[in-house]
Amino acid sequence: MMVWAVIFGMGLLVFLNRYVFLEPRLPLRLSSNARQFLGFAVPGMLTAICGPIVFMPDHELNLHWSNPYLLSSLVAIALVIYTRNTLLSMLLSMGFFFLLRWWF
């Protein structure tokens, strides 16, 4: 019962958080500095999630060229910079990752 209460409570909290900022009839507006600051939240969160996966796949630092996570992330970065197409870059880097996993 407590688990369901936590799930619904967190769902309500997330909904209200989104509603306050997305409802155009509410008088709340963020300043340009706050919007610019919040622009760094997504890259920071993505780095915090992906960093340990890329650099520590076996729970220890692995910077060798035989690390498929590291090589695939470098390929993904290069593809995004070169193609400017997120979907294509994701699909190609995932294919490269699975090829490396099969090869190593």
Side-chain angles (χ1 to χ4, degrees), residues 11-81:
L12 181 65
L13 184 69
V14 168
F15 171 76
L16 290 175
N17 184 21
R18 301 291 190 257
Y19 180 75
V20 166
F21 290 112
L22 295 177
E23 177 58 42
R25 291 176 285 177
L26 291 177
L28 180 65
R29 296 287 177 250
L30 293 174
S31 68
S32 63
N33 288 339
R35 278 187 269 130
Q36 184 179 7
F37 179 72
L38 287 175
F40 294 109
V42 173
M45 184 177 57
L46 186 62
T47 302
I49 292 170
C50 294
I53 296 169
V54 170
F55 296 111
M56 300 173 56
D58 299 321
H59 302 289
E60 60 184 46
L61 187 62
N62 184 356
L63 299 177
H64 295 105
W65 290 109
S66 63
N67 180 357
Y69 296 95
L70 180 61
L71 289 177
S72 298
S73 63
L74 293 175
V75 167
I77 291 168
L79 284 170
V80 166
I81 291 171

